[in-house]
Amino acid sequence: MSAAGWPVSPMPLVTLEVVEGPDRGESRLLGPGQRLVIGRAASCELRLNDAGCSRRHCAVELRPGGLWVEDLGSRGGTLLLGREFRGSGALVPIEGARVCLGGTELRFGVRVGALGPLPEVSGYVLEERLGEGGSGEVYAGRELSSGLRVAIKILREDADDTTRARAAREARLASQLHHPGIARVLRLIEEGEQWVLIRELAEGESLEDRLAQGSLPWREAFRLGAAVADALEAAHQHGVVHRDVKPANVVCSPTGPRLIDFDLALNLGGTLQQALTRLTQTGQGLGTLCYLPPEQLRDAHHAGPRSDVYGLGLTLHHALTGSPPFGEVGPDEFLSALLETGPSPLKVEALPSEAARVVTQAYALKPSERHASAGAFAAALRAALA
């Protein structure tokens, strides 16, 4: 999903050129928040005729901090800056970046420009595209009457009635949330088939982008986790469950972490296998699922407050280890790991065993074995810091 921290600085366009391999001369233009899946499969946005590449080999995405390159569990790995990645990724500077997969080499560069005309929303002016998530596209803009800078999410046109009804309910409830750790929804606009959510613009980089630079010291991670848990507890007290807690939805602002995307969480729909296939084919990848608890993966309607505790627990697992959960698991074992075994053990040097247990309890497979609430999780994190 991703939709990260919606930074307020403009982002360039990126040029991608195939400089070596059977498809030499092919090129693409990558816009802010756009994800490009590369491989031999027909569903890939950049389809290669290189027998040395996997069907879905890797993905690249333009993010606020640079170019995110992710190996999608390929057979031969993806070579980036002289380092081989398998089932993981890294954030690198854009200009001059080179990626090798099979017998193909890709080169990236910066191109200043715009991505054509922006959509129109009554009462607002859209200034730039910030990214795309599972439920729609996000733009930075201003309210014409006040000049207030806001984040504007335009929901997908193919959203069904159930999705729209839930969006309306959560927008109404989320607009009542007044907490420093929540970027709240300001308004829901319904104009025919176009549904638009207006949200506070959270300034700063996403935790996901911050973690691309490495793990957090355990005390810093626990302080961040306690603050996010406080925000979740405030939301739960108002009957709002986030349902998509992950590093991409935590913004590291100057005043402390802030949660975004309370307006519309991921709705898997259909069977789990159908959802997994759809998410992979649309380029969102397995990372969209790896912070979601088993009960939500089986039925999206079963998400409750302890589902958010699970998502925050795995977010802290990522923050402490520096790697996304389940990053070492191949596609064939991915579902069983999520549903039956959980992530790899939490082993972090200097992390006391009692403190580690506070985090691992949060992502227990059974909801009844997790912390009783987000507030209880926050208290446990702070007690471990004492």
Side-chain angles (χ1 to χ4, degrees):
M1 124 157 215
S2 244
W6 318 138
V8 297
S9 57
M11 293 169 63
L13 301 184
V14 167
T15 58
L16 180 162
E17 183 181 2
V18 181
V19 295
E20 293 292 342
D23 302 278
R24 182 175 180 177
E26 282 284 323
S27 63
R28 294 290 188 277
L29 195 62
L30 197 64
Q34 183 180 354
R35 182 179 173 90
L36 196 73
V37 178
I38 304 167
R40 293 187 296 106
S43 60
C44 293
E45 286 84 5
L46 177 56
R47 185 180 184 185
L48 300 175
N49 297 297
D50 186 344
C53 294
S54 296
R55 287 180 56 78
R56 296 176 59 79
H57 197 109
C58 66
V60 295
E61 181 179 342
L62 178 55
R63 294 185 177 178
L67 184 71
W68 174 257
V69 181
E70 178 183 359
D71 182 80
L72 299 178
S74 66
R75 296 190 309 273
T78 300
L79 193 66
L80 172 66
L81 301 179
R83 178 182 172 189
E84 184 181 276
F85 290 86
R86 290 177 184 267
S88 62
L91 192 72
V92 298
I94 300 168
E95 191 63 60
R98 288 176 178 261
V99 175
C100 297
L101 54 155
T104 296
E105 181 176 346
L106 311 173
R107 182 174 61 197
F108 297 83
V110 176
R111 170 180 156 185
V112 178
L115 273 179
L118 297 176
E120 295 184 1
V121 176
S122 178
Y124 296 84
V125 57
L126 277 63
E127 298 176 336
E128 59 178 303
R129 185 180 185 273
L130 298 177
E132 182 176 359
S135 55
E137 294 185 329
V138 181
Y139 300 84
R142 293 184 185 275
E143 185 178 45
L144 292 174
S145 60
S146 66
L148 177 69
R149 293 210 74 198
V150 293
I152 301 169
K153 173 178 274 190
I154 301 178
L155 270 62
R156 298 190 183 281
E157 292 183 0
D158 59 0
D160 58 24
D161 291 341
T162 301
T163 299
R164 291 175 185 267
R166 191 176 72 250
R169 175 185 178 275
E170 294 210 8
R172 183 179 68 255
L173 292 173
S175 66
Q176 302 169 17
L177 299 179
H178 295 273
H179 189 278
I182 296 174
R184 65 191 180 97
V185 174
L186 301 175
R187 228 186 131 192
L188 173 63
I189 302 173
E190 303 174 40
E191 296 181 340
E193 293 300 310
Q194 185 185 66
W195 282 41
V196 182
L197 288 148
I198 309 297
R199 188 177 63 222
E200 290 179 322
L201 187 64
E203 300 189 45
E205 69 174 343
S206 73
L207 179 59
E208 182 180 47
D209 289 335
R210 166 63 182 83
L211 295 179
Q213 304 166 32
S215 62
L216 300 181
W218 80 267
R219 288 185 173 276
E220 180 181 346
F222 272 45
R223 285 191 291 269
L224 180 145
V228 174
D230 286 341
L232 286 171
E233 179 65 20
H236 297 163
Q237 291 296 322
H238 283 80
V240 179
V241 179
H242 192 287
R243 293 202 294 266
D244 198 16
V245 180
K246 58 186 179 183
N249 283 336
V250 177
V251 177
C252 301
S253 76
T255 57
R258 301 189 74 191
L259 273 166
I260 63 171
D261 255 0
F262 265 95
D263 39 78
L264 183 62
L266 178 68
N267 180 17
L268 295 179
T271 67
L272 180 56
Q273 189 58 51
Q274 288 171 340
L276 182 62
T277 300
R278 183 176 72 252
L279 288 169
T280 304
Q281 287 179 344
T282 56
Q284 293 181 39
L286 301 180
T288 303
L289 299 177
C290 67
Y291 302 92
L292 299 183
E295 69 273 14
Q296 187 175 346
L297 287 167
R298 292 187 175 100
D299 187 341
H301 298 290
H302 285 175
R306 290 192 184 188
S307 302
D308 284 348
V309 169
Y310 178 99
L312 179 55
L314 282 190
T315 294
L316 290 181
H317 185 289
H318 185 171
L320 291 164
T321 63
S323 300
F326 306 101
E328 76 288 353
V329 179
D332 293 339
E333 298 81 30
F334 186 78
L335 286 182
S336 61
L338 260 67
L339 296 172
E340 300 169 12
T341 61
S344 59
L346 180 60
K347 296 180 179 180
V348 179
E349 188 176 353
L351 177 65
S353 58
E354 286 297 323
R357 277 192 283 271
V358 170
V359 177
T360 56
Q361 181 182 346
Y363 54 80
L365 293 179
K366 295 181 179 179
S368 61
E369 296 177 357
R370 300 171 198 158
H371 297 281
S373 66
F377 189 16
L381 289 167
R382 291 192 172 98
L385 287 167

